[in-house]
Structure formats: structure tokens, C-alpha cells
Amino acid sequence: MMTKTVAQLLKETKLQEVDIKGWVRTFRANRFIALNDGSTINNIQCVVDFENTDEGTLKRITTGAAVHIKGELIESQGKGQSVEIAVGSIEILGDSDPETYPIQPKKHSFEFLRENAHLRTRTSTFSAVMRLRSSLSFAIHKYFNENGFYYMHTPIITGSDAEGAGEMFRLTNLDAKTPPLNEDGEVNYKEDFFGKETNLTVSGQLEAETYAMSLGKVYTFGPTFRAENSNTSRHLSEFWMIEPEVAFMDLAGNMDLAEDFMKSVITYILENNAEDLEFLDQRLFDEEKVKPQAERSEMRLIEKLKFVTENNFKRVSYTEAIDILRNSKPNKKKKFNYIIEEWGADLQSEHERFLVEKHFKCPVILFDYPANIKAFYMRLNEDGKTVRAMDILFPGIGEIVGGSQREERLEVLKEKMAVLDIPEEELWWYLDLRKYGTAVHSGFGLGFERLVMFTTGMGNIRDVIPYPRTPQNAEF
Ligand code: 4AD
Ligand code: MG
């Protein structure tokens, strides 16, 4: 007999013998097991013939226990499901002590579940979130594969700071107490493992550019690391980023690609993860019911996802955005923490969210930012003060994508690096791209966890990655 999953059995109409393994979610009235094996948000009801099951075994059917059940799939006698399993035999594979098992069949706080992250996928919410995470990841690879992109594995250990923000985790195997020093008393990294200073990558972009300039269309999808001390619900120290990079594509093409890509992956989960999404939609709705009206979102989760797939993203220049913000109510009434006074101000998440949630009420692509608040590699515009940058802002999230057209002119790039004190020797290979067959090219980075937050309606980024790394926290 082929072993079937709970997901498969729940769809069966043919009554049959079954052989199934899973974990007990609940055991009610010494008779009804709600069994889950991770294949679906739904449990299958297994009805135990308690008169013919020994007392010892019955006692061991507890929440969290792993069991092996053989029996028959029959039409359900009760409400709430169309089929159930009449248990013929049950074997306890692994006991679970009901006194100490953390995941009791009741509502737990997300904080508590974060402390028990190794067990939290045994709850409906977290199993749904992680199934969606997996599905989104597949949809991303599928999209690029179907659109002629090559998947490139960029290095995790690098010697460069792609974003120039200096938020890197140093990687060394020098002795922490007595590192080798050079004459002026500084640590001598020549004696370090790689013979130079190295760090964990903050972005695979610079290396991806090298491959775009030969393979045409590439993307990376890997972990990135940032030592920024931001303890917010949208920042992780280790997060996954998707970075496509395309030769001969300008900023307008980059926006088109990003929009089509985001819509495509969201459409994929709407079509393939309906049950998990419906559960999360209801969860968010229930959570928001208790909030004051003004804090509730205007749309339910699934509605919001459909809205993104069905509407154009609004494209707005930074300059227009600053005008809107300067004249906005919260700015005039000094409700923002950072008041927007002048062109050139960096946008904070409160401003981004105002634009998306209150003003435009749809995803927004902001472009042409002031050069001095963006990274060194962005293409300078003819005005000499803005760069061809774009950020995509999503409701409830703020910035979800950051990208740009890249500076392809050798001299302009060198000048920019000189101003920012970026040594040419460090990025000689990056400059080579501008010497040999340079061309317009563009790309962007999508923060994967922010996408998972948006699509699952989870409010804290720590709840959409299996084991979050944040300042002062690297448990598990
Ligand atoms: O805007 P960022 O810093 O852009 C880059 O790294 C470029 N090299 C991308 C490119 O053009 N290839 O980061 C891109 C995205 C952000 O929009 C955000 O969604 C996410 O990565 N992100 C983070 N997500 C979680 N935790 C953090 N600390 C993040 N920092 C950035
Ligand atoms: Mg950014």
C-alpha cells in the first residue's frame, strides 16, 4: 500500500485502507485524534475504538506524540470533515509528556513561540507561514527560470562592502585576545585566514553584475548579513535576498521587471496555497478585530494580495514624493518623528508608509533619489544630483525592494568612488566591467522575509524565518 499524506487523504473520495504517521494535535474524549503530518493546515480526524485499545496506549496518545496509525478511510460520521480514519491499530512512535510539552492546544503568544522556535511549526499559524515561505521560494526560481535568467551563487565570504554602509560582520580566525599587530599597532589582517580583511556579504549585487555582463540575465537568491543595530519588526541581521541583474536594461525596464516579478510570485501562491492563505487571512482578521478602527487595515489579506496582482504600481519620482510629504497633514501638524523640510532628506519608514497607505493606497515605486543618500554604484542622472535608483514600497511593509540602473561609465564611477574613499584596488574587477564592453545594466534586491511578511500578514519579521538572527539573539 502506498503511504499517503494527510493532504492527499483529505481529498480522497474512495474509501480505502490507510497507513499513516503524524503528530497528535489533540485527543478528545478518549476517542478523537486530530492528526497532522505537516502536509496541510488541516488535521485528519482519527477515531479510536477505545473499547478495544489497551489503557496504556490510550494514555500515551497525548498532544505532540508521534503515532503510526493503520485503519480505514471512511465517510465521516461527524461534522467538519468529509472523511475520517477508523483506527484499526495505533502504535506510539514517540511519547510527548503533556506536563512539559510547550505547544499546548491553546492560543500562545508569538513571543512565547519565538522562544520555542524549534517547536512552533507544530502550530497552524507557523506551519502555514513556512509552507508559504517554501512556496514563494519555488515561485521565485520558477519565474526566473521561465524568463531566461541563470541562477548564480554569489560568495557569502567577501572582501567588499557592496552597499558602502559599513554594516558588516567581520570574518576572521585570528586569536581574539592576541591578534598579530603591524608596526602601527593595528591588527595585521595579512596574517588572517584569507590574507586580507573579509566579511559576510551584505549583497551579491557586485558579483552578479559581472555575470550579467556575460550571461545577460542572472539572479542570486541567498543569505545576506547586516550588522546594523536596528531592533525593528522589519530588520534581521541575517536575511535572504533575491537579486536579479540584467544587461542592456535601463531603470524603466527594471521597474517593469520588478512589478511583473512581484505580481507573478503572488499570483503563484494565490493559485497554489489557497488553504494556508485562507487560514492566515482569518487569523489576521481576528487579530485586527480587537484593534481600534483606525489601526485596522482596510483590506483583508487575500484581498490585499489580489489588489497587488490586479493593479499597476504607482511610479513617483523622489522629488514629487517630497512635495507630497511636505504638504501632508502629519508633516504640517508635526506628527512625523522626522519632519520633511527640504529636498534631499532621507525618507524614513513613517514617510514611506504614509505614501503607500494613506496617500496612494497602492504599491509605489519611488525613483530618481538624491545621489548622496544612495549607494556609490547608482547611475548619475543628467541633472548631476539624482541617481537612477528605485525603491518599491508596499502597504504595511514600507520598502520591500531596492534597486537601480548601475553607473556604467568608468570615469564617473571612479570619481564617485574617490569622493566616498572607496579604494580602486579593492574593486579593480568591478571597474574592469566598465573598461571591457561596458553597457547599460540594472537590477534590484527583494528582501525575501519582507515578501513573506506581506503575503502571510505576519507583523514581525522574526516570525517569517525559521531561526531569526537579531541583535543579542542567535538561539538555535
Ligand atoms: O535596499 P538594499 O540595501 O539593496 C541592496 O542591497 C542592493 N544591492 C540590491 C540590488 O540592487 N541588487 O536591500 C534590498 C532589500 C530591501 O529593500 C529590503 O527589502 C531588504 O533587502 N533588506 C532587509 N530585510 C531584512 N532585514 C534587513 N536588515 C534588511 N536590509 C535590507
Ligand atoms: Mg534600500
Side-chain angles (χ1 to χ4, degrees):
M1 190 192 344
M2 274 274 288
T3 325
K4 287 185 177 150
T5 62
V6 171
Q8 289 168 324
L9 287 179
L10 287 173
K11 288 200 191 94
E12 285 290 337
T13 44
K14 204 170 91 225
L15 307 185
Q16 57 194 285
E17 270 181 48
V18 294
D19 180 322
I20 193 157
K21 293 169 186 163
W23 293 272
V24 175
R25 281 284 173 88
T26 57
F27 185 41
R28 202 160 49 76
N30 244 0
R31 199 165 158 75
F32 303 104
I33 300 174
L35 190 78
N36 193 284
D37 65 354
S39 60
T40 156
I41 188 89
N42 300 307
N43 304 323
I44 194 161
Q45 174 156 289
C46 306
V47 186
V48 179
D49 174 7
F50 65 95
E51 278 166 3
N52 292 311
T53 309
D54 68 274
E55 191 75 13
T57 304
L58 282 176
K59 276 212 174 97
R60 292 170 65 199
I61 306 175
T62 58
T63 296
V67 296
H68 182 183
I69 287 173
K70 290 182 186 165
E72 272 176 79
L73 189 73
I74 57 169
E75 259 171 59
S76 178
Q77 316 294 305
K79 276 194 229 145
Q81 63 274 318
S82 61
V83 289
E84 64 189 21
I85 296 172
V87 176
S89 73
I90 177 164
E91 181 194 354
I92 311 293
L93 299 174
D95 290 285
S96 173
D97 180 354
E99 296 298 313
T100 58
Y101 184 55
I103 313 296
Q104 296 295 326
K106 61 164 197 171
K107 206 168 156 50
H108 294 288
S109 76
F110 286 161
E111 289 78 11
F112 172 81
L113 290 171
R114 241 169 260 151
E115 286 164 16
N116 290 284
H118 60 307
L119 297 172
R120 67 179 173 172
T121 36
R122 294 184 184 198
T123 66
S124 298
T125 299
F126 284 91
S127 62
V129 168
M130 294 307 160
R131 271 190 298 270
L132 272 160
R133 185 179 164 108
S134 171
S135 211
L136 282 164
S137 167
F138 175 74
I140 288 164
H141 286 299
K142 181 169 180 285
Y143 177 86
F144 286 124
N145 184 269
E146 286 172 358
N147 285 281
F149 284 72
Y150 299 108
Y151 180 28
M152 175 193 181
H153 300 107
T154 49
I156 288 170
I157 301 172
T158 82
S160 52
D161 177 8
E163 293 306 300
E167 292 164 336
M168 298 170 303
F169 289 101
R170 179 170 297 147
L171 193 76
T172 177
N173 71 346
L174 291 179
D175 188 79
K177 278 196 202 125
T178 52
L181 303 177
N182 54 29
E183 277 146 26
D184 40 14
E186 308 255 308
V187 176
N188 183 6
Y189 288 103
K190 288 213 177 79
E191 286 189 34
D192 205 348
F193 191 88
F194 296 105
K196 63 186 278 193
E197 273 193 81
T198 50
N199 50 272
L200 296 178
T201 188
V202 296
S203 156
Q205 178 197 321
L206 304 192
E207 291 91 351
E209 281 186 53
T210 67
Y211 269 39
M213 296 308 284
S214 51
L215 298 177
K217 296 203 265 184
V218 299
Y219 73 105
T220 71
F221 187 169
T224 49
F225 307 86
R226 296 198 184 176
E228 52 189 330
N229 212 345
S230 351
N231 244 318
T232 79
S233 57
R234 301 172 317 120
H235 287 90
L236 289 167
S237 312
E238 175 181 276
F239 64 99
W240 287 65
M241 186 153 51
I242 296 97
E243 295 182 278
E245 192 69 34
V246 182
F248 313 115
M249 185 176 76
D250 64 9
L251 188 65
N254 206 18
M255 294 188 210
D256 293 342
L257 173 65
E259 183 169 344
D260 186 53
F261 163 66
M262 302 287 282
K263 285 178 170 170
S264 162
V265 298
I266 294 173
T267 302
Y268 180 88
I269 56 161
L270 282 168
E271 286 170 359
N272 293 278
N273 296 73
E275 284 180 345
D276 285 329
L277 283 174
E278 276 155 25
F279 175 86
L280 291 168
D281 179 284
Q282 188 61 42
R283 185 205 77 78
L284 187 62
F285 184 72
D286 293 341
E287 184 186 276
E288 295 204 328
K289 260 198 303 216
V290 298
K291 287 188 188 167
Q293 187 84 38
E295 284 170 40
R296 280 182 231 166
S297 41
E298 284 168 24
M299 283 185 227
R300 292 183 62 136
L301 177 64
I302 293 176
E303 235 180 313
K304 211 162 55 175
L305 298 183
K306 287 192 177 144
F307 182 84
V308 169
T309 63
E310 288 163 8
N311 289 282
N312 291 335
F313 294 7
K314 180 89 185 154
R315 302 181 186 194
V316 186
S317 75
Y318 167 90
T319 304
E320 284 171 74
I322 285 290
D323 281 340
I324 293 166
L325 288 167
R326 234 186 336 216
N327 294 316
S328 69
K329 252 197 210 153
N331 203 59
K332 288 185 165 158
K333 294 195 166 163
K334 305 224 185 303
K335 288 269 159 64
F336 285 142
N337 290 322
Y338 296 86
I339 304 301
I340 300 283
E341 317 243 8
E342 302 202 15
W343 190 93
D346 204 354
L347 299 185
Q348 306 297 324
S349 80
E350 56 180 346
H351 308 127
E352 296 173 342
R353 294 186 59 172
F354 173 84
L355 290 170
V356 170
E357 289 158 28
K358 300 279 186 291
H359 190 84
F360 291 111
K361 296 182 189 263
C362 71
V364 173
I365 310 183
L366 283 189
F367 61 92
D368 284 352
Y369 281 76
N372 59 359
I373 59 170
K374 288 289 181 188
F376 77 96
Y377 49 70
M378 296 187 181
R379 175 66 156 78
L380 191 65
N381 275 315
E382 270 54 63
D383 62 13
K385 56 176 195 175
T386 59
V387 284
R388 284 182 201 164
M390 64 171 207
D391 276 5
I392 303 185
L393 315 178
F394 262 36
I397 305 289
E399 179 190 338
I400 191 163
V401 164
S404 64
Q405 185 176 320
R406 320 305 189 188
E407 185 55 77
E408 84 285 13
R409 298 163 299 181
L410 181 63
E411 290 314 314
V412 184
L413 185 59
K414 275 185 173 174
E415 251 172 64
K416 188 69 174 286
M417 286 170 59
V419 172
L420 295 172
D421 269 334
I422 304 171
E424 284 184 25
E425 311 83 77
E426 249 176 45
L427 289 178
W428 61 273
W429 50 274
Y430 190 70
L431 291 167
D432 263 6
L433 297 178
R434 279 77 184 164
K435 283 187 205 157
Y436 308 116
T438 192
V440 164
H441 62 289
S442 304
F444 62 83
L446 164 67
F448 186 51
E449 283 72 23
R450 294 199 184 166
L451 175 67
V452 184
M453 283 178 80
F454 179 74
T455 49
T456 58
M458 298 297 277
N460 193 316
I461 201 162
R462 293 167 178 81
D463 296 332
V464 300
I465 188 166
Y467 299 107
R469 269 76 181 99
T470 51
Q472 300 298 311
N473 167 45
E475 195 62 47
F476 304 102

